Amino acid sequence: MTVPKPLGAAGRAGDERFGGAAFLRKAFRKAFPDHWSFLLGEIALYSFVIVLLTGVFLTLFFKPSMVEVHYDGSYAPLRGVRMSEAYASTLHISFDVRGGLLMRQLHHWATVVFLGAIVIHLLRNFFTGAFRKPRELNWLIGIVLFMLVMVNGLFGYSLPDDLLSGTGIRILEGVILSIPVVGSYALMFLFGGEFPGTEIIPRLYVIHILLIPGILLALVPLHAVVLTWRQTHTQFPGKGSTNRTVRGYPFFPVFIGKTTAYFLWTLGVTALLATFFQINPIWLFGPYDPGAISAGSQPDWYMGWMEGALRIMPSWEISAFGHTLPMSVIVPALVVPGVLFTGLAAYPFLERWVTGDHEIHHLLDRPRDVPARTGIGMAGVVFYGGLWAAGGNDVIAYKFDIPLFWTTWFFRGLVILGPVLAYVIAYRICLGLQLRDRAMVAHGLETGTIRMSPEGGFSEVERPLSDEELAPVTDPRPAPALPIGRPERHGVAPPEARRPLHRVRVALNRRFLADVAEPPNGHRDAPPEETPGHRKALDEPAEP
């Protein structure tokens, strides 16, 4: 293909000044595996773009002020009511700005989809082991992105200063006050005085449109582009896929065509949601009044888990030395999120410590092949989902005509016993799927065709699996865990086995390794560091 002279000259000029030709040549040839789950992160990226574009539109009309005015806009039921300028300007966007309501709903729905895609993308990375070396930094950036987007979403739907969002800010005030020693000082600093004050909306506005988006604009490209492009793309086991090769299509023109179409699909679906499904109708809630609250108030889904934790926590308090610690707020609002996000951030390093696996992994695990990790993931999902459902315990009690007391105790039991049951059930399902894989390798796939033998017996015709279907089960793959701990010699345990922490590590290692799937031929990729001689050199002194 002949390049037009103006484009060729512009390309040479750019390359001479910025040296981008070598990078572009490598980028255009980069292979991208063709699997639907890899598109989950792209939904998040494209939703972020939609959020930014619609947010710019909304900033042109929104007034982040708590100065009280009398509303005289188009919405008749609130005409003449005293309200803040923030609420009045949001009503103005909704009813008097051409396309304003569509942009508000598009912005809100894109944020909801953005967070949903982040959560699903995070789960895909967890269950497949995509967080392992060399992607630990990318995993940590993803956790930080999740927290920042969740906080920014909370601040965003607090800006209109309606009754629902004001109730959310009231809860935020209670959480800040519960912090020991510094809580009251932090509250005065954030609110500029006592609640609600006149400064909270302008301050949340600056954080929402400037501070957090600025951090996101730095972290999202780093997470989605820079680190991903510098590393080999992950892929699932299959024919032609190994830990050293990538089977897929080039970035240009195949992937760029697909990803452009996918952006348009994401935009289209979000626009349909914004057009036909109402979200956050602030005109029905009215302006915020500290003395009023509506029944059945629910936050957006991504804050529902914290709302649920606050609702089901018993009203415990600790009083000592003239101070009171409200555990009913500290535990659900500070301890539970701290444990959840710290656990997510630390898990790659904890698993490496347990498994002894320090190798580079570009080939993903199928969730069924590592039952322990899958069980842990499902336990976390049930814990998170139980707290989220508990955020609507009053609505559940009302709709099903059961006492609120029952729903509260049900969810208390669910968040304690549910993760344990989820771990056991998921573990057993993984073992069942492993057995099914081995049966299909040995006997083939059931076809549903029944054949009668000359002796009168009946049997089902089974089709042998193709090489493409066999590869995810039988092809060599890196081991997700290695056995650790030296055996006893002459009845004497090695010195490190006498340390309690080492004994815990060995026990966890054995539990993790117990039912890890092996290819039917028992063959795995063994990196040079895992050869028997080298393992001996690592685990015990070589004998002369």
Side-chain angles (χ1 to χ4, degrees), residues 249-264:
Y249 296 101
F251 174 75
F252 183 84
V254 178
F255 181 78
I256 193 68
K258 287 186 175 182
T259 196
T260 302
Y262 206 62
F263 168 71
L264 297 176

Side-chain angles (χ1 to χ4, degrees), residues 198-210:
T198 59
E199 302 295 330
I200 186 61
I201 296 298
R203 291 180 178 183
L204 292 184
Y205 182 72
V206 172
I207 296 173
H208 179 72
I209 72 162
L210 183 63

Side-chain angles (χ1 to χ4, degrees), residues 222-271:
L222 181 64
H223 176 79
V225 179
V226 178
L227 290 179
T228 303
W229 280 78
R230 291 293 299 170
Q231 298 168 349
T232 301
H233 204 291
T234 57
Q235 60 187 330
F236 285 98
K239 188 174 178 60
S241 300
T242 70
N243 205 41
R244 297 175 179 84
T245 60
V246 179
R247 182 189 181 194
Y249 296 101
F251 174 75
F252 183 84
V254 178
F255 181 78
I256 193 68
K258 287 186 175 182
T259 196
T260 302
Y262 206 62
F263 168 71
L264 297 176
W265 272 105
T266 305
L267 176 60
V269 170
T270 309

Side-chain angles (χ1 to χ4, degrees), residues 356-501:
D357 176 24
H358 293 269
E359 303 305 326
I360 290 177
H361 290 271
H362 301 310
L363 201 62
L364 300 173
D365 291 327
R366 298 189 306 165
R368 70 186 67 180
D369 292 340
V370 190
R373 183 198 297 144
T374 302
I376 292 171
M378 287 308 303
V381 169
V382 170
F383 179 74
Y384 183 96
L387 291 178
W388 171 80
N393 67 336
D394 57 337
V395 177
I396 295 172
Y398 173 75
K399 292 295 184 181
F400 292 94
D401 195 22
I402 55 178
L404 181 64
F405 181 80
W406 289 7
T407 61
T408 301
W409 274 100
F410 171 79
F411 286 115
R412 286 174 180 174
L414 179 64
V415 297
I416 295 174
L417 299 178
V420 178
L421 292 174
Y423 177 89
V424 174
I425 294 172
Y427 198 98
R428 301 305 302 177
I429 291 175
C430 289
L431 296 185
L433 291 174
Q434 288 182 25
L435 291 174
R436 178 178 176 271
D437 285 343
R438 287 196 285 269
M440 287 197 302
V441 170
H443 305 289
L445 185 66
E446 297 175 353
T447 63
T449 302
I450 305 299
R451 180 175 295 168
M452 185 175 69
S453 67
E455 293 80 15
F458 292 91
S459 61
E460 185 175 14
V461 178
E462 295 176 334
R463 174 181 63 82
L465 298 180
S466 65
D467 292 343
E468 191 77 27
E469 294 169 321
L470 284 171
V473 183
T474 60
D475 279 10
R477 69 197 72 167
L482 302 173
I484 60 175
R486 292 184 292 176
E488 294 184 359
R489 284 189 172 182
H490 309 296
V492 179
E496 66 271 13
R498 302 166 195 167
R499 298 194 299 267
L501 187 60

Side-chain angles (χ1 to χ4, degrees), residues 17 43 59 86 162 233-234 241 291 295 311 339 345 363 473 498 529:
R17 289 160 177 79
I43 297 177
T59 57
D162 59 284
H233 204 291
T234 57
S241 300
R311 291 189 181 202
V339 171
L363 201 62
V473 183
R498 302 166 195 167
E529 294 80 3

Side-chain angles (χ1 to χ4, degrees), residues 8 14 61 85 108 110 132 185-186 204 215 222 236 260 277 332 390 397 405 479 519 521 535:
F61 303 97
E85 260 194 317
H108 204 127
R132 293 174 295 178
Y185 298 99
L204 292 184
I215 299 174
L222 181 64
F236 285 98
T260 302
F277 296 91
F405 181 80
N521 56 10
R535 288 294 305 166

Side-chain angles (χ1 to χ4, degrees), residues 45-100:
L45 177 62
Y46 300 147
S47 297
F48 178 55
V49 173
I50 297 169
V51 168
L52 288 179
L53 295 177
T54 54
V56 170
F57 177 90
L58 295 176
T59 57
L60 300 176
F61 303 97
F62 180 72
K63 297 179 181 179
S65 170
M66 299 186 73
V67 174
E68 290 191 338
V69 297
H70 286 86
Y71 178 69
D72 60 352
S74 300
Y75 188 63
L78 290 177
R79 197 171 294 155
V81 175
R82 292 188 64 182
M83 60 184 63
S84 67
E85 260 194 317
Y87 186 64
S89 66
T90 309
L91 291 175
H92 175 70
I93 293 172
S94 302
F95 294 104
D96 299 308
V97 175
R98 187 179 297 275

